Amino acid sequence: MTPFPAPNRLHVWWARRPLVASRAAVLASILSDSADRDAFRYALGIHGDPIKGAALIDRAKRNGVRVDDPYGYERAFKFAPSEDDMLTLVGKERSGMVVLDATAGGGAIPLEAIRLGFSAIGNDLNPVAVLLQKASIEYPKIYGHKLVEEFENLSAHFRREIGEKLDGYIPQPNAPDEIATSFVWARTIACPYCAGKVPLSPNWRLAPDGTGVRLNPFHGSGPGDHSRRCSFEIVTLLGHQSEGTVAGGDAVCPFQDCGRPISANEIKRQAQAGDMGDQLVAVVVKRHTLAKTKTGKNKVKWVRGFRAPRLEDDNSAAILEKINEKLPEWNAGDIVPSESIPVGSKTDEALRFGTKMWRDMFAPRQLLAHGQSVQVFREMVEADRQSGKLNPVRISAYVYLSLALDKLLNWNARLSSWNVNALTLRSVFDRHDFAFKWSYAEMALLIDDMGFDWALNSTNKALKELVEMVADGRKGDLLDAVSKNVGTITLLNGSAASMPSIADKSVDAVVMDPPYGANVMYAELSDFFYVWLKRTAGIVVPELFTRRLADKEGEAVANVAHFKGEKGSARLAEKDYRHKMEGIFAECRRVLKDDGIMTVMFTHKDTGAWDALAMSLMDAGFVITASWPVNTEASGSLHIKDKAAANSTIFLVCRPREEASGETMCPSSEHLAQVAA
C-alpha cells in the first residue's frame, strides 16, 4: 500500500507536514489541560503500540523476515474520529471553534481541522498552494461524490480527444508485441577540439543487474568532421558499460582519437548559446513473453526490457516541424508558456545551462504533448461554456484535470530522470530545486494504463479518497452542501501579514507551519507549474492567476537572490525573512483571541533560522511556553539528505503576551536547534 495520503499524491507541494502530526497540533491547541490522553491518542488514529510496531520493523530489516502487519492497525491518517468521539474529547462548547493556518501551503493543517469538525481558515500568498487547498478540502467537502462522477466523465472525454491529437507522435514500430514505454536521452555538446557530438552522462547504468549502455563512437574522417557521433549498445554486464563522460561538471571526449577533457565553462557556454542538444540513448520496452503458471499452463505476460535506439525511434525532425507549425497559433492563443525564467536562488541552476524560458524545461516531443493537452483542455472548457454546462461542480472538475496535467509536467520534462534502482522515472521535484540533469527520461504518454491514463486515474483515486476524508462519503447532489463534519472552510489568497477579512480576536487557535528561512523557495519552484496552471485552471478560476509569475518579493523566505550584488546578502536575506515573519505573527496576534493559543511547527538545524523565528515571535507579542519535538521527516529523502533540514519538527506553543508583564519565557534558539537535530 502507498504510505502517502491523498493530498500528497494529488499534487506536489514542497513541505507538507504529515496529516497525523498536523491533527495532533490542531487538537492539542484546542483541548483543555484536563483532556483524556488516551482519547487524544485514539483521535489521532493511533490504536495500538507504535513503539512496538517500529521495533518489529527494525528487527525485520535486520533479519530479512517480512512482517505483514507490524502495527496491528490501519495507517493513522486514514482514521477520522466520529462526532461522538469529538464531543467526548472536546465538549460541545468547543465544537464551533475556528482554527487559522496563515501559511497553509499544501493544506494539511486546515484539512485536519475540518476532519475534526472545527471551522478552518487557510491562507497562503502562493496561488498554487491555494488551488491545492481548494482541491484537497473545499471542493470535496462541498460537492462530494458528485464531483468524482463529473471528473470521471471529463477525464474520459479529455483522454479521447488527446489521443486523437497525438496519434502517432511517438513511433511504436514493433507494436503490439513490443511497446516502447520510456526513452532515456542524454544532453549533448560538440567537442571543441574534434567536433564530435558528445553525449553527457556520469554513468551509463540502466538497471541494478548490470544492464547498461556501451558507446560506439563513429569517427568519420577524423577530427573536425561534424558527422562524428556515438551509437549505443545495450550490455548486460557492468564491466561492459562505457565510462561516464562527465564528472564534477567537466566532460571528457569519448572519441579515441581525441579523448580530451572539456571544461564545465565550455559546457555552459554551449548551453547558454543554445547549442546543447539531445541524443536518444536507450528505449525502455515491455515485451510479450510466454511464461508458465504454477499448474504448468502457458500464459502471456509483459516483461520490461531495454533496447538500443533505432532511427525510427527519434522523430525529432517531424516533431519540430509540427511545433513550428503550431507555435504561431499557440502564441496567439497563449497556449504554451512564454514567460522567461527569472534570476533566483533555485532558478540560477537552470539559467546556467541555457534554460531561459519555462517552456525550455521540456524537450520538443514533451512540449508538443503538453501544449496539445492545454489546447484540448481549453477547447473543452469553451464548448462547455457555449452549451451552458459550465456549472460550479464542472468548474471544480476542470481544476482536477489541470492537476492531472501538472502530474505529467512533473514526470515528463528534461529534469525528470531514469531511476536505475526502481526501474522507473524520477520526477522533476524529487529534490526541491532545478538541478540540471545530464540525462533525462521521457514518458510514452499514450500507452494504456501509463502516461495520460496513469495521471488521470491516480488523480481520480486521490479525489475519491479526499471525498471520503472531508465529506464523510456523502453522495448528495449540489443542493446538499452540508457534510457530517459541521465546520466551515474559508480559503484566502494573500499575504499572511494582512488578512483584513478576518476580524480582530475571532480565532480560537492559530496552527501553522511557516516557511523555514532559506530552506524552500516556494514561489521560484511553483512557477514551474504556475505558468501552465494559469493556462488551464486559470481559465475556470481566474481570480487565482492574475500575476505573470508567483509573488517572490512578498514571500517570507530568506532569499539571497533578492539582495544579489549587495554586501552581506545572506544577512540581509535573513533580516528580511525575520521582518516578514514578524508581520505575519503580528497579524496572527491581532486575530487570535486573548485566551487563544498559537502552535508553530518548525523544522531546521540552523541556529540562525531559530533566532529569526524566536525573535519574530517575541517582537510580535507572543511568548513561547512549551516546545515539543515530533519526528516527522524521512531521513533518506533526497530533499533533506545532507542539508540543513532536521529529522524532527519542533512544535512551539505560543501565547499572546501581556505587554505589562514583560514575559520572555522562550527557550534559546541553540537549544531548539539541538532538539530538532
Side-chain angles (χ1 to χ4, degrees):
M1 295 190 300
T2 174
F4 300 112
N8 302 57
R9 292 183 283 110
L10 183 66
H11 196 279
V12 172
W13 189 254
W14 299 273
R16 279 190 175 98
R17 292 286 71 80
L19 293 187
V20 178
S22 299
R23 189 187 309 175
V26 171
L27 195 52
S29 300
I30 294 295
L31 291 175
S32 64
D33 290 343
S34 60
D36 184 283
R37 265 55 175 175
D38 290 335
F40 170 73
R41 187 171 65 171
Y42 181 84
L44 299 185
I46 300 172
H47 300 161
D49 186 346
I51 305 300
K52 180 181 178 182
L56 288 173
I57 292 174
D58 287 341
R59 187 190 306 166
K61 288 178 180 177
R62 291 194 302 270
N63 62 28
V65 179
R66 179 181 173 85
V67 181
D68 289 330
D69 187 16
Y71 288 99
Y73 58 93
E74 242 194 337
R75 292 187 182 276
F77 69 75
K78 293 186 175 183
F79 175 78
S82 68
E83 284 185 285
D84 290 340
D85 293 333
M86 290 303 296
L87 282 173
T88 301
L89 184 59
V90 177
K92 190 173 183 179
E93 70 281 358
R94 289 174 174 254
S95 61
M97 287 192 163
V98 177
V99 177
L100 166 67
D101 184 353
T103 55
I109 291 168
L111 173 64
E112 286 304 314
I114 286 294
R115 293 181 77 193
L116 291 170
F118 304 123
S119 290
I121 304 173
N123 176 81
D124 205 280
L125 179 68
N126 194 305
V128 176
V130 178
L131 187 75
L132 299 186
Q133 293 167 40
K134 285 181 174 291
S136 299
I137 314 167
E138 182 180 291
Y139 298 153
K141 181 173 176 58
I142 294 174
Y143 303 120
H145 281 271
K146 181 67 175 176
L147 180 55
V148 176
E149 296 169 13
E150 198 71 53
F151 176 71
E152 289 176 346
N153 292 333
L154 204 62
S155 57
H157 183 187
F158 174 86
R159 183 61 180 86
R160 289 192 300 270
E161 293 291 324
I162 196 64
E164 293 177 6
K165 291 275 189 182
L166 292 177
D167 184 36
Y169 93 109
I170 285 185
Q172 295 287 355
N174 299 322
D177 295 324
E178 178 188 275
I179 303 295
T181 62
S182 305
F183 301 83
V184 181
W185 298 78
R187 306 308 305 273
T188 64
I189 58 166
C191 175
Y193 308 107
C194 75
K197 187 176 184 178
V198 180
L200 301 171
S201 185
N203 64 72
W204 299 100
R205 296 194 298 270
L206 292 173
D209 64 359
T211 300
V213 174
R214 180 162 60 202
L215 278 60
N216 295 313
F218 167 72
H219 293 81
S221 59
D225 184 346
H226 291 277
S227 70
R228 290 159 64 93
R229 61 188 292 123
C230 294
S231 60
F232 306 97
E233 177 186 354
I234 303 298
V235 295
T236 56
L237 295 175
L238 183 63
H240 293 172
Q241 296 176 25
S242 292
E243 295 289 328
T245 54
V246 64
D250 299 317
V252 62
C253 179
F255 296 90
Q256 291 92 334
D257 57 356
C258 179
R260 297 176 68 175
I262 305 169
S263 71
N265 287 337
E266 172 61 19
I267 295 173
K268 291 172 186 174
R269 185 197 67 77
Q270 292 194 33
Q272 290 166 4
D275 295 330
M276 179 173 275
D278 312 85
Q279 189 173 5
L280 186 57
V281 170
V283 181
V284 186
V285 299
K286 59 179 185 178
R287 298 185 178 103
H288 264 141
T289 60
L290 282 177
K292 294 285 187 182
T293 66
K294 291 181 178 180
T295 59
K297 295 182 179 179
N298 289 328
K299 71 171 183 177
V300 176
K301 68 174 185 177
W302 290 103
V303 175
R304 182 192 288 109
F306 303 89
R307 65 168 173 80
R310 303 167 185 155
L311 286 176
E312 59 267 27
D313 292 317
D314 185 358
N315 60 344
S316 297
I319 293 294
L320 282 172
E321 183 179 343
K322 182 69 173 176
I323 286 178
N324 290 332
E325 173 191 318
K326 297 291 295 183
L327 271 179
E329 174 192 353
W330 284 357
N331 287 334
D334 197 28
I335 298 295
V336 294
S338 57
E339 296 85 353
S340 298
I341 298 174
V343 172
S345 290
K346 299 301 180 184
T347 52
D348 273 3
E349 177 77 357
L351 293 170
R352 277 196 294 271
F353 285 92
T355 307
K356 298 176 182 178
M357 300 175 68
W358 288 106
R359 68 169 70 166
D360 298 337
M361 292 276 186
F362 306 92
R365 199 154 63 183
Q366 295 170 333
L367 181 62
L368 177 66
H370 298 319
Q372 291 282 30
S373 296
V374 174
Q375 187 167 10
V376 169
F377 182 101
R378 293 173 72 157
E379 288 171 353
M380 289 172 57
V381 171
E382 184 56 31
D384 281 351
R385 184 175 281 118
Q386 293 290 336
S387 63
K389 291 182 180 178
L390 207 58
N391 56 40
V393 68
R394 196 159 179 87
I395 286 173
S396 302
Y398 272 113
V399 168
Y400 293 95
L401 181 54
S402 73
L403 298 181
L405 299 183
D406 269 18
K407 194 180 292 285
L408 292 179
L409 296 173
N410 188 32
W411 290 87
N412 196 44
R414 273 180 167 145
L415 297 184
S416 53
S417 56
W418 181 250
N419 187 331
V420 172
N421 294 318
L423 297 177
T424 185
L425 279 73
R426 287 190 190 276
S427 69
V428 172
F429 290 113
D430 259 16
R431 294 171 30 146
H432 295 170
D433 56 27
F434 293 111
F436 181 77
K437 302 297 193 303
W438 299 106
S439 64
Y440 64 92
E442 175 195 10
M443 278 185 173
L445 297 178
L446 296 180
I447 304 301
D448 288 348
D449 299 322
M450 302 176 73
F452 285 109
D453 285 349
W454 163 75
L456 294 167
N457 291 338
S458 59
T459 300
N460 188 43
K461 185 174 186 293
L463 172 56
K464 287 178 178 177
E465 292 177 24
L466 287 165
V467 168
E468 296 296 328
M469 291 171 79
V470 301
D472 201 43
R474 179 175 48 82
K475 300 179 182 295
D477 58 23
L478 292 179
L479 298 177
D480 179 14
V482 179
S483 68
K484 188 175 180 181
N485 293 324
V486 296
T488 60
I489 179 69
T490 303
L491 300 177
L492 307 174
N493 179 205
S495 171
S498 177
M499 298 179 286
S501 62
I502 306 177
D504 292 358
K505 303 184 188 304
S506 61
V507 170
D508 296 282
V510 175
V511 182
M512 60 189 296
D513 174 29
Y516 301 157
N519 248 23
V520 182
M521 301 296 119
Y522 299 94
E524 289 185 14
L525 299 177
S526 67
D527 276 346
F528 177 87
F529 296 115
Y530 182 91
V531 295
W532 292 93
L533 281 171
K534 75 176 184 179
R535 291 167 169 86
T536 52
I539 304 302
V540 290
V541 284
E543 64 275 11
L544 289 179
F545 298 93
T546 58
R547 301 176 58 94
R548 181 170 175 79
L549 294 170
D551 184 357
K552 297 162 193 64
E553 295 301 321
E555 186 178 42
V557 294
N559 193 338
V560 295
H562 295 170
F563 304 93
K564 197 169 186 177
E566 297 185 43
K567 185 178 180 180
S569 57
R571 177 181 55 80
L572 291 172
E574 185 176 304
K575 183 178 179 181
D576 180 59
Y577 169 68
R578 177 182 161 183
H579 174 73
K580 287 173 178 172
M581 287 308 305
E582 182 183 336
I584 291 171
F585 290 140
E587 183 71 347
C588 291
R589 175 68 179 87
R590 177 186 70 80
V591 303
L592 186 64
K593 293 178 180 178
D594 289 335
D595 62 348
I597 190 172
M598 181 165 74
T599 301
V600 179
M601 303 182 186
F602 203 69
T603 308
H604 214 292
K605 288 182 180 179
D606 182 56
T607 301
W610 283 104
D611 276 335
L613 183 82
M615 292 304 297
S616 297
L617 281 166
M618 289 189 291
D619 290 346
F622 283 98
V623 56
I624 302 173
T625 58
S627 61
W628 299 89
V630 179
N631 193 357
T632 59
E633 304 301 310
S635 59
S637 296
L638 291 178
H639 67 275
I640 69 169
K641 192 175 181 181
D642 301 325
K643 297 181 176 64
N647 289 338
S648 293
T649 295
I650 305 299
F651 287 17
L652 300 178
V653 183
C654 310
R655 304 260 182 195
R657 185 174 67 238
E658 294 182 15
E659 297 300 331
S661 71
E663 285 184 285
T664 56
M665 293 172 54
C666 291
S668 70
S669 57
E670 290 85 355
H671 170 72
L672 293 172
Q674 288 170 3
V675 173

